Amino acid sequence: MLGSMALRGLAAGATLLAAVVAAPTPAQAAGGSTLVRTDAGRIQGEVTSEGRQFLGVPYAQPPVGDLRWKAPRPVRPWQGVRQATEFPNRCVQTSSWDPGYEQPSYTEDCLYLNAYVPEGSAAVPDGTAQRPVMVWLHGGGLTAGAGEDVVPDTFARQTGAVVVTVNYRLGAMGFLATDDLDREARDGVSGNYGMLDQQAALRWVRANIGRFGGDPARVTIAGESAGGRSVCTQMASPTARGLYRAGIVQSGAYGDCAARTQRDADTSGAAFARQLGCSDVACLRGKPAQEILQAQGRYDWGPVVGGDFLPLQPFEAFRKGAAARVPVLNGANKDEGTMFAFGQFDANGTPLTAEQYPGVLTSVFGPEQGERALRRYPLSGHPSPTLAYGTAFGDFLMACPALRLGEELKGRGPVYSYEFADRTSPPFASLRNLDTDFPFGATHVNEVQYLFKHFGLRTPLNAEQKVLARRMVQYWGSFIRGGAPRADGQPPMPDQRTQDGLVLSLKTASAGGNTLSGTVHREHRCDLWDSAPTE
């Protein structure tokens, strides 16, 4: 999931005079004030039709100059009142087909978050004094996106939760590892700056969210795609312990959440430095962000295993009991791969042909696995070669890893499994903008618009889909509030500890409604992909 369009709120309800006279107590802030004192200074938010929002709140110092490729530093206090009514800078990234992302961003001063507080007093449906909190980590392949990609103000009101969305460093700025940077790192392992940014944001939440009516002891970290992978990674990180009580992983288990080895990351970093004509990190720190961005495209960017942040690969940590024992809501979409197949072929005006199909499978999955996939995904079973490939790729990349993650997690606490299966769902905003009639089905990212305003836009759902969206919000909301995921009159989302192999299939009424399915593993041919390489 990539970027978003800016959203402006309505007029602010408090005045600067009120800020000067007295800072609000947490209870006053929770009761409706748009003026809040954080641990670094006062901020002025604004009132909207859904509650209150505080946009562009700094949670760390700008990672510029000597702080480029350093762990995030606490934000410096400021005097007076800081306006928090506009989305912040996006972190360095290229342009894309997403609404509002037509131009690249070269801005390194980007470590900000947005907080959405429901309308009304601090009282919440379960009767506690403070609201549960959800911290949303955006998707985008760890190279794109921003906290503003979703606007969760309606979700916050419907669930009674305070919702925080976060920017974090991306691409080379967030994940470069080199020998020089290893020597600078306290634990001797570099390359995890974007993940450390996320933890800095969670520490800001722990210190400040009570001033917004949120409960720092009831924080759920959530994300989709790379945001879900981030949640998977944070659950395996010892340095994230105590910063959250639950996790939501949406389409985030791809590659079994695996991180790069230090050796591979440093080798890649050395090649990246040579490409920029640099032999040391001082030279790299002197390069303009635009040059860094232009050089990063050919490399893989992501977290690095082996240091204090991530001593073990996530799945290994889960197996060994070395990861946080927190409840998890985890799942994927039925047609994950159609978006990727479209982007690779049809979007370029070159639909995959029957003649090309066998070669593509062996190229992507390897000769042996490709031959097996050709037998398991015959062209006769699919409307087109592109859709046949998209089905195989989605099963390999997203659907089966999500099921494997559920298996790995069930021995350490509740893990609730779903599959978003509304194959009539409208393509999300980026794809709608492409003016195509490609049959995406329940593709990657499509469930996000059922929970939030995606890119700040309301999705054109029909009456049945609006019902499904309300029920999905109820499932997610009950989990965030601390219970099992439930919706009125619907089957509970199954816990893999007691309902192993069952998945809640999320569908509209005309497609059979929300049902428990025991055939998802077979439908996605996971017996094939569970034996396939995951990197």
Side-chain angles (χ1 to χ4, degrees), residues 112-183:
Y112 299 87
L113 52 79
N114 312 299
Y116 300 84
V117 183
E119 185 178 12
S121 69
V124 293
D126 60 12
T128 58
Q130 291 178 300
R131 296 180 182 274
V133 179
M134 184 181 79
V135 176
W136 180 261
L137 305 174
H138 68 79
L142 301 180
T143 60
E148 65 183 277
D149 290 356
V150 302
V151 176
D153 53 355
T154 302
F155 179 91
R157 174 181 57 79
Q158 292 172 332
T159 61
V162 176
V163 182
V164 175
T165 67
V166 178
N167 287 3
Y168 55 92
R169 280 175 282 181
L170 304 165
M173 293 300 188
F175 300 98
L176 178 67
T178 70
D179 290 339
D180 277 358
L181 290 172
D182 288 346
R183 284 188 285 272

Side-chain angles (χ1 to χ4, degrees), residues 299-329:
Y299 301 93
D300 177 39
W301 304 104
V304 181
V305 69
D308 293 344
F309 165 75
L310 192 65
L312 301 172
Q313 291 285 5
F315 272 40
E316 183 182 2
F318 301 149
R319 291 186 198 111
K320 292 183 174 180
R325 295 181 175 273
V326 298
V328 177
L329 190 158

Side-chain angles (χ1 to χ4, degrees), residues 84 177 185-186 243 304 325 361-362 436:
R186 183 181 305 172
L243 296 177
V304 181
R325 295 181 175 273
L361 291 186
T362 56
T436 176

Side-chain angles (χ1 to χ4, degrees), residues 361-362 365-378 525 527-529 531-532:
L361 291 186
T362 56
F365 304 124
E368 183 177 347
Q369 205 72 12
E371 284 296 326
R372 294 174 181 170
L374 188 60
R375 294 192 294 271
R376 300 292 295 275
Y377 297 86
R525 302 163 178 86
D527 61 316
L528 170 65
W529 302 119
S531 63

